[in-house]
Amino acid sequence: MSTLSDLVYAQGRSSADDVEWLHRLAGDGQLLADLAFADIVIWVPTADDSFIAVAHTRPSGSATLFYRDIVGDRVRPQWRTQVRDAFTGARIVDSASPDWFEETPTRVRAVPIVRRRAHEDAPPHVLGVLTRHTNLGETRTPSRQQITFNDCADDLFAMVASADFPDLNAPTSPRRGAPRASDGLIRLDPDGITTFASPNALSAFNRLGFEEELEGESLVEVTTGILPANRQFDESLPVVVTGRAPWRADVEARGVTVSLRTIPLRDHDKRIGAIVLCRDVTEIRHQEQELITKDATIREIHHRVKNNLQTVASLLRIQARRTHSDEAREALTQAMRRVSAIAVVHDTLSEGLAQNVAFDEVFARVLKLVAEVAAAPNTRARTRTTGRFGTLPSEYATPLALALTELVTNAVEHGLAGKEGDVEIAAERSEERLQVIVRDTGSGLPEGQVGRGLGTQIVRTLIQGELGGTIDWHTITGSGTEVTIDIPLRYIERQAG
């Protein structure tokens, strides 16, 4: 399915700023749909004087009209004139009589989506049209809450038409548990006095310790009264509870955490009050804290494992220097190099929260380690990497790093022994496969004859057994050896999941 950006850009009539404005408005589509108890559709003009739907949100508290997704559809004939009038006239246009949609009576409101220009003297720019489709088939006597919700929706629609909503100063990417209209809604007047509080909103504040009615009370005074003394609170809390800024904040008291989001209401730059959405997010914040603690613990474990591995590598290096047997020295040096390669992976994991590894960074460090340790006095190897490995799950970064360590070491120690040459590691990644080729300009191998040493056995076990891939050795025409590793990424993702 095409995204909002794809659909808007395809019409060739909008800038990046316009698309950002539409994205912000679509992000609040659920709020508008829940407040209006109606489907919300965003339309943008097309090159042939029509309109196409780029976003659609269904109400969570009432029946939807559109059981099939209409994003990407052109505006229907019965709405085209109303939508065009709202777009060209930059004004809200309501349907004169009930509109029928698939045998269901509806009421349609078309709201121009207006954005102010960068220069204050320039006239506002109409980006598209927002339509509200209200299902009249389930009409019943509205409750006080429904009336208030509808009034809030009407205020926001008027702000959309006057370029006051969405507010680009509002924070993006809310934390998990962002409050919705159904979670709790408080309506404030221009002085910050509560004129309406939904039952869920009142319950949230009751759990915080406020035992009275919210209506008629100053939300600032209520919040101040329930905050524990000598306890730090969210710095943005004052502007949120006064209703003066489009911001978010958490209130914590009595072991309960309530998330607040404020939307100031304006009528042509005049403050007329605010909407405060609230939600009890105690359990969500506890889960987040547990995840943070677990992440910190995992990083500390990786850090300690890295330190221990480096200690083991140092001990192996000391032992290698003191041994008098060339064969034993070589075995200890190889073991030290393998342990050091594993330590690099754990060091990378200890620095971030995600249990995925940017393998290009890891391999750059491993390659430097191999080049320093493997080069003999009479050998001069130049190594270079092309392409990108991308991000891999941590459990696959270690075997791949070890396998490549062995291959590059063999290329330097055996292929380029006593000479000068190049070792290239070429990575090519697609959605389904990762292919790595290690080639050198050394003496090469007799075709079909692959080494049977420990290093070769390790590489086979890691690539074929742990990564489910294939590996192939062959001699390059002329000179040198080329080793090709092919790893199916779907196998990696399946195993990681």
Side-chain angles (χ1 to χ4, degrees), residues 10-304:
Q11 312 314 313
R13 303 178 60 170
S14 299
S15 65
D17 289 340
D18 292 342
V19 173
E20 172 64 18
W21 190 274
L22 292 171
H23 263 296
R24 287 292 192 102
L25 183 59
D28 275 318
Q30 192 64 60
L31 171 65
L32 295 172
D34 291 345
L35 290 176
F37 298 93
D39 287 87
I40 299 296
V41 183
I42 295 177
W43 309 85
V44 297
T46 61
D48 57 355
D49 197 33
S50 183
F51 293 85
I52 186 172
V54 297
H56 169 223
T57 308
R58 296 176 174 88
S60 58
S62 58
T64 180
L65 284 172
F66 306 108
Y67 295 96
R68 291 178 296 275
D69 195 353
I70 66 170
V71 172
D73 292 353
R74 288 176 174 267
V75 65
R76 296 197 174 208
Q78 67 261 40
W79 306 326
R80 185 181 298 121
T81 300
Q82 184 180 353
V83 170
R84 183 180 295 112
D85 289 347
F87 182 79
T88 58
R91 60 187 180 88
I92 296 177
V93 179
D94 289 308
S95 54
S97 58
D99 176 70
W100 290 85
F101 178 79
E102 296 183 355
E103 301 181 354
T104 301
T106 67
R107 183 184 301 113
V108 180
R109 166 171 285 191
V111 180
I113 302 172
V114 182
R115 180 177 74 85
R116 289 193 180 94
R117 302 278 191 178
H119 302 288
E120 295 183 359
D121 296 335
H125 175 43
V126 182
L127 308 181
V129 175
L130 178 151
T131 53
R132 180 192 69 183
H133 302 261
T134 306
N135 187 341
L136 300 179
E138 298 184 353
T139 301
R140 58 182 182 270
T141 302
S143 63
R144 181 166 174 254
Q145 174 170 309
Q146 185 170 352
I147 293 173
T148 302
F149 276 32
N150 281 326
D151 288 344
C152 291
D154 290 342
D155 289 333
L156 291 177
F157 291 144
M159 290 171 62
V160 170
S162 62
D164 290 319
F165 189 82
D167 193 323
L168 296 185
N169 293 321
T172 57
S173 302
R175 295 177 66 184
R176 218 163 48 100
R180 302 158 297 190
S182 58
D183 296 320
L185 181 142
I186 298 172
R187 176 73 184 249
L188 302 180
D189 67 12
D191 297 321
I193 304 300
T194 303
T195 60
F196 173 82
S198 70
N200 285 343
L202 182 59
S203 295
F205 273 81
N206 288 161
R207 287 191 287 273
L208 287 170
F210 181 73
E211 300 178 354
E212 306 297 330
E213 292 293 331
L214 279 173
E215 293 185 18
E217 299 290 339
S218 166
L219 190 59
V220 175
E221 295 178 1
V222 169
T223 306
T224 303
I226 60 180
L227 287 174
N230 302 322
R231 176 82 62 85
Q232 284 188 334
F233 58 86
D234 197 322
E235 294 179 356
S236 59
L237 184 58
V239 295
V240 170
V241 294
T242 56
R244 296 180 177 274
W247 215 253
R248 299 183 178 95
D250 284 355
V251 180
E252 298 182 30
R254 298 175 62 178
V256 175
T257 303
V258 173
S259 179
L260 304 178
R261 178 197 174 186
T262 292
I263 304 172
L265 299 177
R266 301 184 181 88
D267 183 4
H268 296 88
D269 294 328
K270 178 183 177 182
R271 287 186 63 251
I272 60 174
I275 298 171
V276 180
L277 305 176
C278 50
R279 178 180 181 180
D280 187 338
V281 293
T282 305
E283 187 61 31
I284 293 176
R285 295 295 181 260
H286 284 169
Q287 292 173 359
E288 290 177 347
Q289 189 59 47
E290 288 177 359
L291 288 175
I292 291 173
T293 302
K294 289 179 180 178
D295 285 335
T297 302
I298 291 172
R299 281 187 293 167
E300 178 62 21
I301 290 172
H302 283 303
H303 181 72
R304 294 188 181 188

Side-chain angles (χ1 to χ4, degrees), residues 325-347:
S325 168
D326 292 339
E327 184 177 350
R329 184 184 302 108
E330 176 63 20
L332 290 170
T333 301
Q334 290 180 357
M336 180 272 295
R337 185 166 49 245
R338 291 162 186 155
V339 171
S340 297
I342 300 174
V344 168
V345 177
H346 283 281
D347 188 30

